[in-house]
Amino acid sequence: MSETPWVGRSLRRREDERLLRGRGTYVGDVDLPGQLHAVFVRSPFAHAAIGGIDADAALALPGVVAVLTAADVPAGPLPPFLWDTPPEKLVSALRPHLRPCHPPLLADRPLYAGQAVAVVVAESRYVAEDAAELVVIDYDPLPPVATLERALAPDALVVHEGWDDNVAVRFVVAKGDVEGALADAAVVVRERFSTQRQAGIPMETRGAVATWDATGDGLTLWSATQNSHPLRRALSRVSGVPQERIRVIAPDVGGGFGIKGVLYPEDLLVGLLAMRLGRPVKWIEDRLEHMLSAVHAREQVHEIEVGLDAEGRIVAMRDHVLVDTGAYNPLGLVIPYNTIAHLMGPYRVPSFEATAEGVITTKTPTAPYRGAGRPEAVFAVERSLDLAARRLGIDPVELRLRNLVRPEEMAYDVGILYRDGEPLVLDGGDYPEVLRRAAELVGWDDVEIRERNGRLVGRGIGVYVEGTGIGPFEGAVVEVGDDGRVAVRTGACTQGQGHETVFAQVCADHLGVDAGAVDVVTGDTDGLEKGWGTVASRSAVVAGNAVAEAAGIVREQALHAAGELLEIAAADLTLTAGRVVPRDAPDRGVGLGEVARAAREQGSPLASTRYFEPGTVTWANGAHAAVVAVDPETGEVELLRYVVVHDCGREINPMIVDGQVHGGVAQGIGGALYEEILYDEEGQLLNGTLADYLVPTAEEVPVIELDRRETPSPLNALGLRGVGEGGAILPPAAIANAVEDALSGLGAVVRRTPLTPPYVRSLAVPDATHLRSSGEDEILRP
Amino acid sequence: MAPREIVVRVNGEEYRGSAEPRVTLVDFLRDELGLTGTHVGCEHGVCGACTILMDGRTVRSCLMLAVQAEGHELRTVEGLAPADGPLHPIQEAFSEKHGLQCGFCTPGFLMTVEELLRDDPDPSEETIRSRLSGNICRCTGYQNIVEAVRYAAELTREAAP
Ligand code: FES
Ligand code: FES
């Protein structure tokens, strides 16, 4: 090891230089000689049958090469991708109702507005767009099923053929005697909370470029994906080309947040088109089609009951969760299970019962977006606890402290299973201390409800835990070149999280080189057999530990090889800053490059591939506090302060960790105050531009006041817990709690987000019902 | 429509290319001139990813046609620092303060900040946030971008004679 470890330093990022000079390579920058351009024709109806498609006029346009419809491409649902099938242990415990439900490549019966029904390929993007307008499609509109309420009505139209209702997934998770505990509780909060449909909005849209070399390299696909190896496997399934002859490259990717972590028909079709047409094919999604056809997220309704005793201790929790899956449910029970698994959060809850249902509607499919089911759960629970605190006359911080799992109770078995089928066991952290620190930073006891220039000021707080670093595995290759430079390859793609820097830091420590001597490549299937990808706050944990293991092995190899070279026992050597030196004669060293060459010539190069398979997830935690000013006349909410205290275990690069938290919080603020995907009754998207769908700008996001605790994870050698999603989990709850606090004199109860001016005004002026926003939905229980 | 010859100066060099009158300036820069540092995030003028300088002022190159740039002086991210030289102070500040993550929005921010610091070498936080509010970044939460702008202002003032 070098004197000061590289892990723990806020090292400047290796990737910055090229990105700042405009020399990054995003998929849109991949430009192949002779490439064609694909444009998708998308259904204008939420639900329709297609009588016929006439492509003659489109094909007659000069420059148009092909028009393909569902009849021209392999039929049936897309192949498996990630977590389609839950682990056996979970299935046998839950016995869930779960119907597989993937979209086809091209639809002959579109189930949401924006679903691809045909693809046009032409010599230029402009011509392809012209031609797409000329494709004549005979649609026979069918009734839309645009809301959960309509999808669950007894006479609902069943969207998927062969099903008897619209429920794609249903299961119950329970422990203890909820009924009895609720009956004995001093206070029971019964509420319906909902979280609105949102979009992840990576600034780079989706896109793919493919080229096919039938005799040589096979199929190469560049894609703005978070999961290059799973994409290769799926592409192999639909193309019939063996995986060894397919290379998938996720180059620089302009943000993902989960939205690029699902399998999309377009990526596969670009590959198939390149094979069929014998020329490279490029597709870059525009923003309007992104809003329509990239996955949405978060649309949930909770009917929750939380019972507490007179001292404010939780005795029971019951929840019924409805998840709007949109037209398909590609990830099985991932979202509903994540939600359920995070309801009890960091609290001791003796009895628990939660029912989850994922319901099909004729809208864009929903899938994991930063937080992936957790912000929704945390919103329902943290809101309930604030209501309970008010009814019991206990301070919200104090009430939470009475219920938080204490450090001396760790490891704490919550008594249900996690999504990976393993027991859900909280594995460390000082939750009360994190909450107290957040309260202290925000000046909890000083922030009194008061008026400020006619505005009402309120404070809100909340806590969360997050299961991070889920399996099944991630791998890493570490190799030393003759020049002494170290190459690291991993399947954990990057969309801005700084993998080139953090994995270099990890490798540097475990091998004994400078971080600057390590070159990290992510997201290229070449040179690494298996990979999973960057989703679910897992890459640092899972890929990071794989890098550490592989680097440690290469270090041993190097010491051994250098021992032979220097004729000194390996045990008497050490490797530091890229040189192998005898412990007692530091001036007699030999450079790592020289060792690598000698080792290679001996037929045993310095190289190792390791796959890290975590036993289960490791738990991060945090507390957020918000101070808001609410104008009761206009309903406008201004975020005055935002405090975050979190614990993601050991931090490889604190600067990057802070950046992850800032970004997550900003997205959470968007979900709390501004962002909502709106559909009308016909299933038509109403706000499909960035002028209508409001993401926060620099004027809306306050300075985030941040503090940390570092409780190393006992579950992996590096002591890491994941952090990618954490920042996004709490803002809706913390801000809603603050807004309700500001309006507490008016008896307002916040039941949904976003807290837009019309909604907040309806809370402040209860008779202003005409101002209630669309989300005041009356969802019926089935 | 038939392509037209277009001559523009970009980053101090003369470029000739041809484009149909309907081709946007950002497509022309990227596809015809190969200057792919300028990005497209929305194509409807909201996100600011495509921001470049035309005759020293910021423009959204997705909202302009290439033919409208004929005869004008353009500056893109590729022109901020000399190709083999050190980073421009704004670029240096963005790296030092971790003002970029995925980097997709970054070129647009850099050009916006270039204009801002010329107008106001010592901007307040309020001014910075207001001037950046036409550029969307989905990764950073803006905090480190704001810090980077302040640091860039410092570096620029120090460098000035
Ligand atoms: S691409 Fe021009 S403003 Fe978004
Ligand atoms: S750094 Fe990714 S959008 Fe700004």
Side-chain angles (χ1 to χ4, degrees):
Chain A
M1 288 244 176
S2 59
E3 311 267 300
T4 319
W6 291 93
V7 166
R9 289 198 216 174
S10 287
L11 212 61
R12 254 168 83 156
R13 301 197 320 165
R14 296 283 301 278
E15 37 277 90
D16 287 353
E17 172 103 9
R18 69 169 184 277
L19 300 178
L20 285 163
R21 287 180 185 271
R23 291 190 196 147
T25 305
Y26 299 87
V27 64
D29 307 335
V30 175
D31 211 0
L32 301 178
Q35 81 192 355
L36 296 166
H37 297 262
V39 165
F40 289 87
V41 181
R42 299 183 181 278
S43 171
F45 296 102
H47 191 191
I50 292 179
I53 298 185
D54 180 356
D56 288 354
L59 284 164
L61 199 70
V64 174
V65 174
V67 178
L68 272 66
T69 68
D72 306 311
V73 297
L78 297 189
F81 191 57
L82 301 174
W83 293 308
D84 305 68
T85 319
E88 197 40 54
K89 282 185 201 168
L90 193 61
V91 171
S92 56
L94 280 186
R95 311 219 157 277
H97 161 83
L98 177 61
R99 288 163 163 145
C101 189
H102 299 262
L105 283 168
L106 290 171
D108 56 7
R109 189 169 73 94
L111 297 182
Y112 63 94
Q115 187 167 15
V117 297
V119 57
V120 177
V121 189
E123 298 287 345
S124 87
R125 166 82 176 264
Y126 284 71
V127 172
E129 287 191 14
D130 290 343
E133 307 238 312
L134 297 175
V135 177
V136 180
I137 302 179
D138 176 15
Y139 289 102
D140 186 4
L142 298 168
V145 181
T147 61
L148 281 171
E149 185 185 3
R150 271 160 70 175
L152 290 171
D155 60 345
L157 181 122
V158 175
V159 174
H160 284 286
E161 276 160 14
W163 292 22
D164 52 3
D165 62 17
N166 289 314
V167 178
V169 46
R170 179 192 289 120
F171 59 88
V172 180
V173 177
K175 66 162 190 177
D177 173 18
V178 172
E179 199 59 50
L182 284 176
D184 294 343
V187 163
V188 179
V189 174
R190 284 196 179 83
E191 281 291 345
R192 174 190 289 138
F193 295 112
S194 58
T195 298
Q196 79 281 20
R197 184 173 274 247
Q198 296 167 47
I201 317 284
M203 291 320 297
E204 177 202 39
T205 56
R206 296 181 294 145
V209 181
T211 182
W212 167 239
D213 177 353
T215 51
D217 289 344
L219 188 57
T220 306
L221 180 78
W222 288 261
S223 165
T225 180
Q226 294 174 221
N227 313 82
S228 43
H229 282 87
L231 180 54
R232 177 176 68 168
R233 189 178 59 225
L235 190 53
S236 172
R237 285 275 295 270
V238 297
S239 66
V241 178
Q243 289 201 57
E244 312 82 71
R245 300 206 60 226
I246 300 178
R247 179 178 183 187
V248 174
I249 302 167
D252 289 317
V253 172
F257 317 119
I259 307 309
K260 295 171 179 169
V262 296
L263 181 62
Y264 287 106
E266 291 92 341
D267 281 344
L268 300 174
L269 281 162
V270 167
L272 294 177
L273 284 166
M275 290 177 68
R276 184 176 304 210
L277 301 172
R279 287 172 64 180
V281 174
K282 179 172 185 171
W283 165 68
I284 302 297
E285 183 184 53
D286 72 28
R287 183 58 64 182
L288 305 178
E289 54 178 344
H290 181 85
M291 300 295 289
L292 274 170
S293 61
V295 292
H296 298 158
R298 303 253 201 279
E299 189 172 355
Q300 292 195 2
V301 178
H302 289 243
E303 299 212 349
I304 191 166
E305 293 166 272
V306 182
L308 302 93
D309 66 18
E311 280 75 51
R313 284 186 294 261
I314 302 169
V315 296
M317 185 184 291
R318 178 152 64 193
D319 195 6
H320 186 120
V321 185
L322 297 178
V323 179
D324 186 330
T325 69
Y328 302 92
N329 183 36
L331 276 97
L333 47 68
V334 167
I335 291 286
Y337 203 89
N338 275 358
T339 297
I340 299 262
H342 289 80
L343 281 168
M344 289 183 273
Y347 301 115
R348 287 183 303 271
V349 181
S351 66
F352 176 77
E353 181 191 312
T355 307
E357 290 180 289
V359 181
I360 298 286
T361 57
T362 56
K363 293 185 293 196
T364 301
T366 59
Y369 159 47
R370 203 171 201 167
R374 298 171 183 92
E376 303 91 314
V378 164
F379 185 73
V381 172
E382 293 298 305
R383 290 273 46 251
S384 299
L385 291 183
D386 260 27
L387 293 173
R390 204 191 302 171
R391 281 169 61 180
L392 287 162
I394 301 175
D395 175 82
V397 172
E398 175 57 30
L399 181 117
R400 286 173 171 83
L401 287 172
R402 289 182 194 178
N403 287 286
L404 288 173
V405 173
R406 291 183 295 268
E408 62 271 21
E409 295 174 280
M410 300 285 178
Y412 182 84
D413 188 341
V414 171
I416 64 170
L417 297 181
Y418 195 65
R419 180 159 65 78
D420 55 10
E422 301 298 327
L424 196 170
V425 178
L426 303 175
D427 61 339
D430 190 337
Y431 304 162
E433 159 66 11
V434 165
L435 174 60
R436 273 193 291 261
R437 178 67 183 138
E440 178 188 29
L441 271 178
V442 82
W444 184 256
D445 297 319
D446 310 329
V447 188
E448 283 300 318
I449 300 168
R450 57 178 181 262
E451 263 191 62
R452 190 188 285 183
N453 305 329
R455 297 190 303 172
L456 302 168
V457 175
R459 60 185 185 177
I461 202 160
V463 290
Y464 74 95
V465 291
E466 183 197 357
T468 69
I470 198 169
F473 66 85
E474 198 60 79
V477 176
V478 174
E479 264 170 10
V480 184
D482 288 1
D483 56 358
R485 292 201 68 78
V486 183
V488 174
R489 289 191 294 279
T490 169
C493 312
T494 178
Q495 306 85 43
Q497 301 90 336
H499 289 183
E500 286 169 49
T501 307
V502 294
F503 294 147
Q505 290 177 259
V506 170
C507 178
D509 278 352
H510 287 77
L511 182 49
V513 298
D514 285 344
V518 184
D519 302 309
V520 178
V521 172
T522 67
D524 184 341
T525 57
D526 244 27
L528 183 67
E529 194 192 331
K530 295 187 297 174
W532 196 259
T534 293
V535 289
S537 305
R538 66 189 294 279
S539 285
V541 179
V542 189
N545 280 287
V547 170
E549 285 183 13
I553 289 168
V554 172
R555 177 186 174 89
E556 292 309 313
Q557 293 169 344
L559 292 174
H560 182 79
E564 300 207 333
L565 203 63
L566 299 169
E567 298 182 329
I568 298 175
D572 296 330
L573 295 169
T574 185
L575 171 46
T576 178
R579 288 184 68 75
V580 184
V581 290
R583 290 180 194 278
D584 53 5
D587 46 327
R588 271 194 61 206
V590 48
L592 189 58
E594 204 178 315
V595 178
R597 179 159 18 89
R600 181 173 52 76
E601 282 163 2
Q602 296 292 316
S604 47
L606 302 185
S608 169
T609 303
R610 298 293 296 172
Y611 289 94
F612 181 77
E613 297 178 15
T616 183
V617 292
T618 183
W619 290 81
N621 75 89
H624 292 195
V627 181
V628 300
V630 180
D631 184 331
E633 290 299 316
T634 64
E636 198 189 341
V637 176
E638 189 192 346
L639 201 45
L640 300 175
R641 289 185 60 203
Y642 204 88
V643 165
V644 173
V645 181
H646 76 108
D647 184 346
C648 65
R650 235 169 122 208
E651 298 185 7
I652 300 172
N653 183 319
M655 173 189 83
I656 287 177
V657 169
D658 288 358
Q660 290 297 307
V661 174
H662 294 167
V665 168
Q667 287 178 327
I669 290 171
L673 295 175
Y674 311 108
E675 299 180 32
E676 178 168 25
I677 289 278
L678 294 167
Y679 280 91
D680 70 10
E681 286 284 290
E682 298 301 313
Q684 290 294 332
L685 178 64
L686 296 177
N687 53 348
T689 74
L690 293 180
D692 304 303
Y693 183 88
L694 302 177
V695 303
T697 75
E699 289 200 298
E700 284 84 41
V701 182
V703 170
I704 292 148
E705 302 163 54
L706 205 154
D707 197 8
R708 62 195 0 106
R709 292 293 178 268
E710 290 192 51
T711 311
S713 168
L715 301 188
N716 61 79
L718 291 176
L720 308 173
R721 307 171 190 269
V723 73
E725 298 170 280
I729 294 175
L730 263 176
I735 293 169
N737 285 353
V739 168
E740 188 174 285
D741 183 50
L743 299 177
S744 61
L746 303 165
V749 177
V750 175
R751 296 192 170 88
R752 65 180 301 270
T753 47
L755 288 148
T756 57
Y759 177 52
V760 173
R761 188 167 140 68
S762 76
L763 297 169
V765 187
D767 59 353
T769 44
H770 62 286
L771 288 172
R772 277 176 201 247
S773 74
S774 65
E776 283 294 274
D777 31 17
E778 287 301 311
I779 305 294
L780 302 175
R781 287 267 292 267
Chain B
M1 241 185 276
R4 298 232 320 239
E5 169 112 346
I6 298 169
V7 183
V8 283
R9 284 183 71 79
V10 188
N11 304 325
E13 257 178 70
E14 186 172 289
Y15 283 83
R16 274 165 202 281
S18 82
E20 288 179 56
R22 65 172 174 166
V23 170
T24 61
L25 179 54
V26 69
D27 283 353
F28 180 75
L29 287 169
R30 292 177 49 82
D31 302 338
E32 184 70 15
L33 306 187
L35 295 167
T36 54
T38 304
H39 296 151
V40 182
C42 72
E43 282 181 294
H44 50 254
V46 179
C47 76
C50 66
T51 304
I52 62 167
L53 299 176
M54 185 164 89
D55 303 328
R57 303 312 297 184
T58 51
V59 294
R60 310 224 142 178
S61 59
C62 74
L63 291 184
M64 282 185 62
L65 299 173
V67 291
Q68 292 175 285
E70 168 84 40
H72 289 280
E73 179 88 36
L74 307 181
R75 197 149 173 233
T76 66
V77 65
E78 289 93 343
L80 276 181
D84 305 314
L87 292 174
H88 184 280
I90 301 173
Q91 294 169 319
E92 175 68 20
F94 267 66
S95 181
E96 182 62 30
K97 299 294 177 189
H98 190 31
L100 70 159
Q101 291 183 24
C102 78
F104 197 80
C105 70
T106 310
F109 273 92
L110 296 176
M111 303 318 285
T112 305
V113 174
E114 220 280 332
E115 180 187 55
L116 163 61
L117 293 184
R118 256 189 298 120
D119 291 350
D120 183 351
D122 189 13
S124 66
E125 169 159 357
E126 205 185 331
T127 303
I128 294 169
R129 288 188 180 266
S130 154
R131 290 284 292 261
L132 295 181
S133 67
N135 291 66
I136 298 174
C137 174
R138 195 59 160 166
C139 296
T140 62
Y142 305 104
Q143 185 158 335
N144 290 348
I145 293 181
V146 173
E147 281 193 27
V149 175
R150 273 208 287 245
Y151 185 53
E154 229 174 85
L155 292 177
T156 309
R157 287 198 306 273
E158 276 169 18

